Amino acid sequence: MKKNICLGITGGIAAYKILDLIKLLKKDKFNVKVIMTYSAQKIIPSSSFKKLGIEVYSEMFVSGFDYRQILKNQKIDHIEISRWADIIIIAPATANFLAKIANGLADDLLSTTLLATNAPIVIFPSMNSNMWHHPLVQKNLQKLIDIGYHVIDPDSGQLACNAVGMGRLPNIKKIKSEIEIFLQKKSSLEKKRIIVTAGATEEKIDPVRIITNKSSGKMGLALAEICYLKGYKVLLLRASSAVKSRHPIPEVIFENSMQLSKLIKESVQNYDIIFHTAAVSDFAPKKIYLQKMDSSKNYVLNLIPQNKIIRQIKKFNPNIYLVAFKATYKSSKDEMINKANQLLADTQADAILVNDLAKSGVGFRIDTNEVYLVRKNKPVKKISLDSKLNIARKIIAELKI
Ligand SMILES: Cc1cc2nc3c(=O)[nH]c(=O)nc-3n(C[C@H](O)[C@H](O)[C@H](O)COP(=O)(O)O)c2cc1C
């Protein structure tokens, strides 16, 4: 049976784009109802939506309101819609509306419906980039994320106010695909359990000095967030220096490779898939100085190669689906694929994502990446330069997770 989608439209300039979204949803036979705020109707008249043959609501109190009718019929719009909806989408969501709902206000039909519903709520903020970056807007978004609302960040680009920056409503096809992901999540009975390791290990030299690498954990975090938003049970094993998620993903923090190996060993039995994206130090100092090293002296560090965690994972749980990353430097496509195939053979991994850190837009700390997906007996798949979030989406789609 096709799902019921309630589209909440607030007074952002992108409100007109929702006409095309409704056409796409109707084409796929979704049931759609719209609730518009007062400002949204100033941007685009409700008649434009009614012409598409859907019900459009905007008033808390309809004209001719009579409480006796309500008591007799026991039907109140915001409660009816809140029960009818399998999902509620707010697109575009204005800064004003975010502030309202982050504070539990219920002074119009849409905000009241949100308080009444048990359906998942997915929010697509859209506004001028200064508004988007305003600390109050970000605080309100964090509040909403903390209580379990799903916030999809706006795109960057040319804005309606003749500025360039973050704040554009994502394109309609992307919004539709996010809606489908959430509906799939809601109806998915068999939830996959996924571990993601992310960030750089730190091996102590003395109490204040470490050996580490440039990994920020952004690629791992992107994978963890997409899996979490798809509704999977996710455990993030995150390096203490790695970026944090805005979503309440369960996580355990590690510092060095021994701790990470222990955490994987303890948890891997209870999971179906592991994305091993952490950049684990290949070496650790043979000796850890207990006192801070004297900066006027010369030292020679003796570095001992570490056990490769990736080789241990299938020994801890032979049934886990192991996806690992391989970073190379200044490698041709063939060299990268050879190295990935070698790693597949050495570790029994199911898939290797290999990249070339020397390539512009690829690698640690930045927000973009480009990878080749290499599996046994399957053609190599190039996932071209894109944001790490989009790369994560494409990896998950390609692996059919
Ligand atoms: C032409 C125009 C475009 C606007 N676009 C946006 C927008 O994209 N995002 C936003 O947060 N506010 C935008 N605003 C401001 C909101 O309409 C205003 O804050 C309003 O109070 C929002 O009400 P609502 O949240 O109840 O819909 C715009 C205002 C005008 C006049």
Side-chain angles (χ1 to χ4, degrees):
M1 212 174 73
K2 273 299 177 184
K3 300 283 183 181
N4 297 338
I5 300 172
C6 170
L7 290 175
I9 305 173
T10 70
I13 192 67
Y16 71 92
K17 294 185 181 173
I18 305 304
L19 289 170
D20 285 337
L21 175 63
I22 293 173
K23 286 178 197 158
L24 285 184
L25 292 172
K26 284 199 65 175
K27 208 167 144 205
D28 280 357
K29 306 263 184 299
F30 286 106
N31 306 312
V32 180
K33 288 185 183 186
V34 160
I35 304 181
M36 299 180 81
T37 62
Y38 174 78
S39 306
Q41 295 169 83
K42 293 274 172 199
I43 301 251
I44 176 166
S46 59
S47 54
S48 307
F49 292 93
K50 286 182 186 152
K51 276 185 202 149
L52 300 177
I54 53 163
E55 288 176 59
V56 182
Y57 300 79
S58 51
E59 303 294 332
M60 280 289 291
F61 300 96
V62 290
S63 68
F65 175 84
D66 182 343
Y67 74 92
R68 285 164 297 209
Q69 283 298 317
I70 300 284
L71 293 177
K72 190 171 150 217
N73 299 334
Q74 296 195 314
K75 282 199 180 345
I76 310 173
D77 280 348
H78 63 273
I79 304 294
E80 292 299 310
I81 301 171
S82 73
R83 288 178 181 153
W84 171 87
D86 289 307
I87 192 165
I88 301 187
I89 308 296
I90 311 294
T94 58
N96 172 66
F97 193 74
L98 297 175
K100 250 167 57 164
I101 57 174
N103 288 290
L105 294 190
D107 65 350
D108 63 11
L109 187 66
L110 185 54
S111 50
T112 311
T113 307
L114 291 190
L115 285 186
T117 194
N118 289 324
I121 296 167
V122 188
I123 295 178
F124 291 86
S126 168
M127 61 199 72
N128 158 278
S129 57
N130 282 352
M131 291 169 78
W132 167 255
H133 290 295
H134 195 289
L136 287 172
V137 171
Q138 290 302 317
K139 260 193 179 166
N140 290 331
L141 283 166
Q142 192 57 55
K143 264 187 173 180
L144 296 172
I145 290 167
D146 288 346
I147 61 162
Y149 289 17
H150 303 284
V151 175
I152 309 296
D153 284 350
D155 283 351
S156 283
Q158 181 74 42
L159 303 174
C161 53
N162 199 18
V164 175
M166 207 156 167
R168 273 174 73 91
L169 188 71
N171 83 47
I172 294 308
K173 283 192 181 145
K174 185 171 162 200
I175 297 182
K176 180 167 177 269
S177 108
E178 295 287 353
I179 294 174
E180 283 165 338
I181 287 174
F182 282 99
L183 287 172
Q184 187 191 335
K185 164 186 167 178
K186 199 171 167 256
S187 58
S188 138
L189 295 172
E190 209 187 50
K191 295 221 191 304
K192 288 193 182 109
R193 297 159 301 171
I194 298 174
I195 296 184
V196 182
T197 69
T201 55
E202 297 178 348
E203 308 300 334
K204 265 190 181 170
I205 302 174
D206 75 5
V208 297
R209 297 181 176 91
I210 52 171
I211 293 182
T212 187
N213 58 66
K214 287 180 169 178
S215 170
S216 59
K218 285 182 177 175
M219 190 66 240
L221 194 70
L223 283 160
E225 290 188 340
I226 300 295
C227 291
Y228 170 78
L229 292 174
K230 282 189 85 166
Y232 298 134
K233 179 182 164 190
V234 179
L235 173 64
L236 177 61
L237 302 180
R238 183 171 68 80
S240 54
S241 59
V243 285
K244 289 184 188 152
S245 177
R246 297 199 308 167
H247 301 283
I249 303 174
E251 62 173 20
V252 183
I253 306 296
F254 64 86
E255 280 180 357
N256 58 39
S257 55
M258 281 248 284
Q259 289 169 354
L260 176 59
S261 168
K262 189 165 170 277
L263 286 172
I264 292 177
K265 186 177 182 182
E266 284 166 2
S267 43
V268 85
Q269 290 299 340
N270 302 320
Y271 286 81
D272 307 304
I273 298 166
I274 182 165
F275 286 103
H276 183 44
T277 72
V280 181
S281 178
D282 292 324
F283 305 98
K286 185 171 183 189
K287 171 178 175 178
I288 299 175
Y289 290 85
L290 296 177
Q291 297 299 320
K292 183 166 175 276
M293 291 156 79
D294 182 344
S295 56
S296 64
K297 285 189 186 160
N298 280 356
Y299 293 89
V300 175
L301 278 184
N302 192 347
L303 297 177
I304 308 289
Q306 296 294 284
N307 275 338
K308 289 263 181 209
I309 291 181
I310 183 176
R311 289 176 200 265
Q312 301 168 344
I313 295 176
K314 282 275 184 173
K315 292 182 184 146
F316 297 148
N317 177 0
N319 298 322
I320 199 153
Y321 190 86
L322 169 58
V323 185
F325 275 71
K326 172 81 187 160
T328 69
Y329 195 77
K330 284 199 176 161
S331 303
S332 67
K333 179 184 170 190
D334 286 348
E335 284 165 343
M336 277 193 271
I337 292 166
N338 285 343
K339 283 177 186 166
N341 275 319
Q342 186 64 51
L343 197 58
L344 277 176
D346 289 351
T347 62
Q348 308 305 313
D350 298 281
I352 300 291
L353 292 149
V354 60
N355 63 2
D356 176 10
L357 298 181
K359 208 175 160 197
S360 156
V362 175
F364 294 147
R365 295 192 182 162
I366 52 178
D367 291 321
T368 52
N369 206 351
E370 178 171 284
V371 294
Y372 287 92
L373 172 60
V374 183
R375 288 163 286 182
K376 262 184 232 150
N377 308 324
K378 289 217 164 120
V380 171
K381 171 87 188 167
K382 181 179 180 185
I383 304 181
S384 299
L385 191 67
D386 206 337
S387 70
K388 285 185 173 166
L389 269 175
N390 279 340
I391 295 276
R393 278 194 189 94
K394 289 175 190 168
I395 291 169
I396 286 161
E398 194 60 43
L399 295 175
K400 300 197 170 39
I401 289 170

